[in-house]
Amino acid sequence: MVVANQKGGVGKTTTSVNLAAALAQGGLSVLLIDLDPQGNASTALGVDHSPGTPGTYEVLIEGHAIADHVVDSPEAPNLRVLPATIDLAGAEIELVSVVARENRLLRAIKAYLRDHQVDYVFLDCPPSLGLLTLNALVAATEILIPIQCEYYALEGVSQLMRTINLVKGELNDDLTVSTVLLTMFDARTRLAAQVADEVRAHFAAQTLPTVIPRSVRISEAPSYGQTVLTYHPDSAGAVCYREAAHEIARRGAKENA
């Protein structure tokens, strides 16, 4: 499942780490691959990503196996992370001249899944539609789009949908937008409700019933190297992310039944 939206500040990384941790805390085996050079997902999951730490860069550019560089996250049992370092910032340029550059991540994930039982793989992307995000879109079967309940929310989504349709047509027929999650919902404003209604009209089947509220606790958690689920497990944000994870798991179980 790739978590994508080229618009920055919509809660991509926050959504990736909290859903991954919630599913792992629920007893599922989860792998999170950090594809953002800033390494914010690695930070939130308590994983070292200082310069030189082996991780996604070595897998994409040097052809290393994912199994050689994944590390356990202290946030949940059964949660493993492939960390991202600032080295990834140069990967976009280095990948340009590589043969079959858009398939590098797909091949690495397939090799990992042959030897490891994993229920969910989350791909946390940078806020762009470059080669890192393209690798994630080619490797994934599902897309989760976080959309913030603010003005211009749907503006970037149309561009993302064009890219998704291009990838579907040329590189990955299995790709589907399975899930839309409304984030940063402020129940006090009429705008948030209007945006939520608009998103549900566009993505009726895909939008989860649970919305993620605007929350100080959610924002604070990464600075402690934690998800909101362990930082403040009783907060509204933690409760909502657990509910959203439960909805995703239930949908997955229904599709596989």
Side-chain angles (χ1 to χ4, degrees):
M1 184 177 276
V2 55
V3 181
N5 188 336
Q6 81 278 9
K7 199 170 185 301
V10 301
K12 274 193 305 296
T13 297
T14 302
T15 293
S16 299
V17 299
N18 283 293
L19 289 178
L23 289 163
Q25 286 176 7
L28 297 174
S29 175
V30 182
L31 168 67
L32 184 138
I33 296 176
D34 192 348
L35 282 158
D36 190 338
Q38 294 178 78
N40 291 338
S42 304
T43 298
L45 292 173
V47 168
D48 179 40
H49 63 101
S50 52
T53 303
T56 310
Y57 176 85
E58 284 71 19
V59 169
L60 282 176
I61 303 300
E62 297 173 13
H64 291 196
I66 290 174
D68 293 341
H69 301 314
V70 288
V71 291
D72 293 325
S73 168
E75 285 298 288
N78 310 315
L79 176 55
R80 312 203 79 197
V81 182
L82 184 67
T85 65
I86 196 65
D87 299 333
L88 258 186
E92 296 268 8
I93 297 163
E94 292 176 64
L95 279 169
V96 168
S97 58
V98 174
V99 176
R101 60 198 178 191
E102 64 278 344
N103 291 313
R104 304 280 287 186
L105 187 61
L106 172 64
R107 287 205 303 273
I109 290 174
K110 277 185 172 176
Y112 183 81
L113 294 179
R114 275 197 295 271
D115 302 320
H116 299 82
Q117 172 56 42
V118 179
D119 295 301
Y120 282 90
V121 179
F122 280 90
L123 307 171
D124 183 43
C125 297
S128 70
L129 292 175
L131 279 172
L132 292 173
T133 300
L134 182 61
N135 260 269
L137 291 172
V138 171
T141 51
E142 295 184 32
I143 302 172
L144 186 156
I145 306 176
I147 300 179
Q148 88 283 28
C149 296
E150 292 176 357
Y151 200 57
Y152 296 136
L154 285 165
E155 196 178 57
V157 176
S158 57
Q159 189 183 345
L160 177 63
M161 294 305 294
R162 279 197 298 274
T163 303
I164 290 166
N165 289 329
L166 197 62
V167 171
K168 274 177 75 77
E170 300 290 331
L171 300 164
N172 182 3
D173 282 337
D174 297 331
L175 194 62
T176 57
V177 177
S178 66
T179 312
V180 172
L181 181 64
L182 293 162
T183 62
M184 303 179 192
F185 184 83
D186 187 342
R188 298 168 300 178
T189 68
R190 189 179 302 161
L191 175 64
Q194 287 172 343
V195 171
D197 289 344
E198 202 175 332
V199 171
R200 289 202 165 98
H202 274 78
F203 300 100
Q206 295 89 345
T207 307
L208 294 179
T210 298
V211 298
I212 306 302
R214 189 171 277 288
S215 161
V216 174
R217 300 287 185 225
I218 292 174
S219 306
E220 284 175 348
S223 63
Y224 293 90
Q226 291 177 267
T227 62
V228 73
L229 303 179
T230 56
Y231 173 64
H232 215 289
D234 298 327
S235 65
V239 169
C240 289
Y241 268 118
R242 275 196 296 272
E243 283 178 6
H246 185 67
E247 286 160 9
I248 288 170
R250 198 166 54 233
R251 282 183 177 190
K254 203 178 288 181
E255 284 169 15
N256 293 326

